[in-house]
Amino acid sequence: MDGGAAYNPRTVEEVFRDFKGRRAGMIRALTADVEEFYQLCDPEKENLCLYGFPNEQWEVNLPAEEVPPELPEPALGINFARDGMQEKDWLSLVAVHSDAWLLAVAFYFGARFGFDKSDRKRLFTMINDLPTIFEVVTGSVKKQGKDKSSVSNNSSNKSKMGPRGRGSESSKLSKGLAKDEDEGLDEEDEEEHGETLCGACGENYASDEFWICCDICEKWFHGKCVKITPARAEHIKQYKCPSCSNKRARP
């Protein structure tokens, strides 16, 4: 566990980059890698924490032994409540604590390197422009988009967001087209769906990236985040995202 000790971000931009990396790792644990995360959080083990690292990786591990620790510690014992709650509620709880930890780490760096009032405000503004982990995990970020109608009515939007000039079977392959395939509509598409966020990493829609829609929860994902290529997607009749694939009755 590197805990951020290998380097110390000293500027607002460096701290924000550190924040984004850790955030991406924790979102991956709670979405794309949720099955592995669930198994690692065994209630029979000791107090466990979910760590996110600047390189967008995550880890479930014991808390740091040194007192005080190098960085603020994540919530302890996330594994103890795993089997006592509905999975989605447990993941939401872990997400809330993860958001709190990310802010604590960012402002720890800010205090350590003497950020003044304007720097702290700028850092918070940059952070606040991103959806929280809780919003990404629960899907509630969709409700906050400027174009609520285009985001909330996903069933009707599937045909709009699907690749132009193809059959409905390929609607899940939206956003995987090359720009020169339909140059005239790219700008309009970008504006219409700019508020759509990836259900795994929480980043905004971009027309030059391949995206895929889950036929169960109707969330959109970067293909790279859920390890689906355009070629593979062509053969998928009904796509289920990692979260929906792993939904089952827990003992």
Side-chain angles (χ1 to χ4, degrees):
M1 175 168 45
D2 70 7
Y7 80 105
N8 288 313
R10 295 174 179 270
T11 68
V12 171
E13 288 71 25
E14 288 174 343
V15 171
F16 180 63
R17 189 159 54 246
D18 179 273
F19 175 93
K20 284 187 67 178
R22 295 177 189 276
R23 171 182 171 276
M26 300 177 97
I27 287 176
R28 182 174 293 115
L30 298 173
T31 55
D33 297 344
V34 67
E35 180 67 13
E36 180 184 355
F37 172 69
Y38 186 93
Q39 296 300 328
L40 289 172
C41 292
D42 185 348
E44 299 300 318
K45 296 181 180 179
E46 299 181 52
N47 282 294
L48 294 176
C49 303
L50 171 61
Y51 292 90
F53 299 129
N55 62 356
E56 301 188 6
Q57 300 302 307
W58 62 273
E59 181 180 65
V60 170
N61 210 332
L62 297 171
E65 294 182 359
E66 66 267 22
V67 178
E70 174 66 21
L71 291 177
E73 283 293 302
L76 300 176
I78 57 172
N79 50 315
F80 294 148
R82 190 195 73 175
D83 293 345
M85 304 174 66
Q86 291 288 331
E87 181 181 354
K88 66 176 183 178
D89 294 332
W90 175 67
L91 291 173
S92 297
L93 181 64
V94 176
V96 169
H97 285 292
S98 298
D99 282 319
W101 179 67
L102 287 177
L103 281 174
V105 171
F107 279 84
Y108 165 84
F109 284 129
R112 182 170 179 177
F113 297 111
F115 287 7
D116 60 19
K117 182 178 179 179
S118 62
D119 282 343
R120 292 194 302 271
K121 182 177 181 179
R122 188 155 62 94
L123 175 60
F124 179 77
T125 299
M126 294 167 73
I127 289 173
N128 203 39
D129 282 340
L130 294 173
T132 64
I133 296 177
F134 176 81
E135 289 170 340
V136 173
V137 170
T138 62
S140 61
V141 68
K142 289 186 176 183
K143 301 175 184 178
Q144 301 176 22
K146 294 179 183 178
D147 188 0
K148 293 183 180 181
S149 60
S150 72
V151 177
S152 61
N153 299 326
N154 273 334
S155 57
S156 62
N157 283 340
K158 277 193 171 184
S159 59
K160 293 181 185 178
M161 300 172 79
R164 278 79 65 176
R166 296 188 184 182
S168 59
E169 175 61 30
S170 298
S171 65
K172 62 171 69 69
L173 305 182
S174 156
K175 311 165 186 175
L177 295 177
K179 286 188 176 182
D180 58 0
E181 210 173 314
D182 205 342
E183 191 74 31
L185 294 178
D186 277 350
E187 185 175 341
E188 179 182 346
D189 189 59
E190 187 79 38
E191 290 179 0
E192 181 179 0
H193 307 300
E195 293 300 322
T196 303
L197 301 176
C198 174
C201 70
E203 296 297 327
N204 288 80
Y205 158 76
S207 61
D208 60 348
E209 296 178 305
F210 170 70
W211 283 52
I212 188 167
C213 179
C214 174
D215 289 308
I216 306 303
C217 66
E218 297 188 335
K219 291 181 182 178
W220 291 89
F221 300 86
H222 288 105
K224 62 184 180 182
C225 290
V226 290
K227 301 176 182 176
I228 299 292
T229 63
R232 182 180 173 189
E234 289 282 2
H235 302 287
I236 299 176
K237 291 185 178 180
Q238 183 184 56
Y239 174 66
K240 291 184 180 180
C241 69
S243 181
C244 290
S245 296
N246 293 325
K247 283 182 180 177
R248 60 176 184 269
R250 299 291 188 184

